[in-house]
Amino acid sequence: MATVLPSPPRVGMVSLGCPKNLVDSERILTQLRADGYAMSPDYAGADVVLVNTCGFLDSAKEESLEAIGEAIAENGRVIVTGCMGKEADVIRARFPNVLAITGAHEYEQVVEAVHEAAPAAISPYVDLIPDAGLKLTPRHYSYLKISEGCNHRCAFCIIPQLRGDLVSRRPDAILREAEKLVAAGTQELLVISQDTSAYGIDIRREPRVWKGREVVPHMTDLARELGRIAPWVRLHYVYPYPHVDQVIPLMAEGLVLPYLDIPFQHASPSVLRAMKRPANDAKVLDRIRSWRQACPDLAIRSTFVVGFPGETEADFEYLLQWLDEAQLDRVGAFRFEPVAGAPANDLPNPVPEEVKEERYARLMERTAAISTARLQAKIGRTLDVIIDAVGEEGATGRSYADAPEIDGEVQLRDAAHLREGDIVPVLIEEADEHDLYGVPA
């Protein structure tokens, strides 16, 4: 008699917030798949729905609560995890029927909650999980988390309260994961953590053997090894510590993409001191100049906070002048928003909302002009582009200066023959303030 395999329970997932949350979601789904679960692309087909929440800002918390409400309305059986899990009382006050609530990177607890809500019947006849794990991103790029937590105590941030102090992964474990991802089709590794520059400072005395040689748990050594594994390696959330200078030669050599995502947050020394962040802005400008001398193609993206308590018009003008000198390629900005538990909430001289809006608009106008000029300078050049999508009339991709979802794109004509994940030379023909336009060379 033929063996009839049982239908596995189906799990739906809503993943909110930053790429670090996305990696958490992938790990949870990978474990659940290994445990005998199937994935559901919609609410209707799911036996239980996971909502991985963001709790960084009040607006993000509200978005998370709305997502929980939608999942309950559409499905009814909901488990909540992620950063907002620290505020279980708030969630239960609005949604008392939530099945379970767990915190950030509490993988075992959320998996156990799924087991209780929708028990799975394990079948030995089915290969349940690909070697690289389950992914929520396209096949050709993957986020690679190298550590959890953060040792900084910035006045506006509650990440250490949510995710704890820095805990670095072993370098050999990271490199093993990178190899599996590349073997499964990944062309671009996006290295993420709360503070990539701090990687390894908690385990520096523990080098590991990889491919017959010792690898020190340090950002530079890790980046070099990753560059030997993947065609593209992109570094995110890099604080400008002195040892970042050592990574620039790797970019000039082509081992690592010439791209730095550095959260400067502000430039005015007085505001940076109030934020409890490094305040030597002039030295940073000197270092940016030296980086670009060593690696002329270097692209720098950053984020800034406007309207921080005590920020004066002089502070804001200082920031605009600093941006004129820094000539950053990509800039995002946030209006300061009080977050429950952040020390900045108690600072004097809050900035009125209308002033925040006015300064935000001015900053975005200034940075858009800088971005436009830097993109215009690329017209006539041939750049390597990774292809994200292909249609009948052309394709969409990204250059080394463009991270997925947050930066610009390269729009290609005469490119219907390409495939997702291809890395091809492209002649740049036009540009606007965000995107490039070209043709395969």
Side-chain angles (χ1 to χ4, degrees):
M1 179 180 292
T3 299
V4 178
L5 299 179
S7 297
R10 299 179 69 83
V11 178
M13 169 69 84
V14 178
S15 188
L16 304 172
C18 64
K20 292 175 283 295
N21 251 24
L22 187 70
V23 172
D24 290 345
S25 296
E26 291 177 339
R27 288 182 178 176
I28 292 166
L29 292 180
T30 295
Q31 184 58 54
L32 289 172
R33 182 68 183 276
D35 290 348
Y37 290 83
M39 304 302 119
S40 173
D42 52 39
Y43 292 121
D47 295 288
V48 64
V49 176
L50 296 176
V51 180
N52 193 357
T53 58
C54 178
F56 183 55
L57 298 173
D58 288 346
S59 56
K61 293 178 184 178
E62 187 57 37
E63 181 185 8
S64 295
L65 291 171
E66 290 175 1
I68 295 168
E70 179 180 323
I72 288 177
E74 296 290 335
N75 182 279
R77 296 175 56 76
V78 177
I79 294 170
V80 177
T81 187
C83 293
M84 203 176 171
K86 293 285 187 180
E87 300 185 43
D89 54 340
V90 174
I91 296 170
R92 289 218 178 269
R94 190 181 297 194
F95 307 109
N97 296 328
V98 165
L99 298 178
I101 302 173
T102 70
H105 58 267
E106 292 181 352
Y107 308 120
E108 292 183 4
Q109 292 90 327
V110 71
V111 169
E112 287 176 6
V114 174
H115 287 174
E116 291 182 14
I122 303 298
S123 170
Y125 299 100
V126 181
D127 182 12
L128 294 170
I129 182 169
D131 195 36
L134 299 185
K135 295 174 80 266
L136 297 175
T137 54
R139 182 170 179 262
H140 61 281
Y141 68 81
S142 303
Y143 291 100
L144 182 65
K145 187 188 287 188
I146 63 174
S147 65
E148 276 288 1
C150 184
N151 290 341
H152 293 286
R153 295 297 183 266
C154 301
F156 54 83
C157 183
I158 59 170
I159 290 296
Q161 299 173 38
L162 297 175
R163 292 181 174 265
D165 288 336
L166 175 75
V167 179
S168 300
R169 296 177 62 196
R170 289 171 42 164
D172 54 329
I174 296 171
L175 295 170
R176 192 174 301 112
E177 180 182 351
E179 274 201 335
K180 288 182 178 180
L181 289 169
V182 171
T186 292
Q187 292 283 80
E188 177 182 12
L189 291 173
L190 299 110
V191 178
I192 58 170
S193 66
Q194 298 297 337
D195 179 2
T196 295
S197 304
Y199 169 71
I201 64 173
D202 55 324
I203 55 170
R204 284 292 296 279
R205 296 182 181 179
E206 302 177 38
R208 299 287 178 172
V209 176
W210 171 255
K211 303 292 185 183
R213 57 184 179 274
E214 280 197 344
V215 178
V216 177
H218 182 274
M219 183 181 75
T220 307
D221 297 72
L222 184 66
R224 182 183 297 109
E225 295 296 333
L226 290 172
R228 293 168 174 162
I229 294 173
W232 278 19
V233 175
R234 188 182 301 276
L235 301 178
H236 286 276
Y237 312 119
V238 176
Y239 282 71
Y241 300 152
H243 65 257
V244 173
D245 297 353
Q246 302 168 22
V247 178
I248 305 302
L250 301 182
M251 297 178 175
E253 294 169 22
L255 271 179
V256 178
L257 290 179
Y259 176 98
L260 282 177
D261 177 0
I262 303 178
F264 288 118
Q265 308 296 11
H266 214 282
S268 165
S270 61
V271 174
L272 289 170
R273 281 192 294 270
M275 289 179 167
K276 296 185 178 178
R277 293 180 65 82
N280 195 338
D281 64 295
K283 187 174 181 180
V284 169
L285 285 174
D286 288 341
R287 292 178 68 203
I288 289 174
R289 295 187 192 99
S290 68
W291 293 343
R292 284 179 168 151
Q293 284 180 344
C295 184
D297 278 339
L298 177 65
I300 303 175
R301 91 164 322 273
S302 189
T303 50
F304 294 87
V305 177
V306 298
F308 191 79
E311 181 192 60
T312 64
E313 179 62 23
D315 290 325
F316 183 71
E317 284 291 341
Y318 190 103
L319 170 59
L320 294 181
Q321 293 175 19
W322 187 93
L323 287 167
D324 284 340
E325 290 194 57
Q327 290 289 296
L328 304 183
D329 297 80
R330 305 287 191 186
V331 170
F334 299 92
R335 308 158 188 84
F336 173 76
E337 183 179 316
V339 179
N345 300 346
D346 300 324
L347 292 175
N349 304 316
V351 177
E353 292 300 319
E354 62 271 19
V355 176
K356 290 182 190 177
E357 290 295 330
E358 186 267 343
R359 289 178 182 172
Y360 174 84
R362 287 162 60 195
L363 184 142
M364 296 311 293
E365 181 181 5
R366 183 71 60 91
T367 57
I370 294 171
S371 174
T372 299
R374 293 189 68 80
L375 290 174
Q376 289 286 332
K378 295 179 180 179
I379 294 175
R381 293 187 57 190
T382 297
L383 303 177
D384 282 346
V385 170
I386 189 167
I387 304 302
D388 288 331
V390 180
E392 293 182 1
E393 298 183 359
T396 301
R398 292 174 290 108
S399 75
Y400 71 90
D402 305 306
E405 305 294 335
I406 56 175
D407 293 324
E409 296 177 331
V410 182
Q411 304 293 333
L412 284 73
R413 63 179 178 85
D414 300 334
H417 61 286
L418 298 175
R419 297 177 300 176
E420 290 185 13
D422 285 347
I423 298 176
V424 297
V426 172
L427 175 63
I428 304 303
E429 299 174 316
E430 298 180 45
D432 57 27
E433 69 179 49
H434 298 297
D435 299 329
L436 297 171
Y437 302 82
V439 63

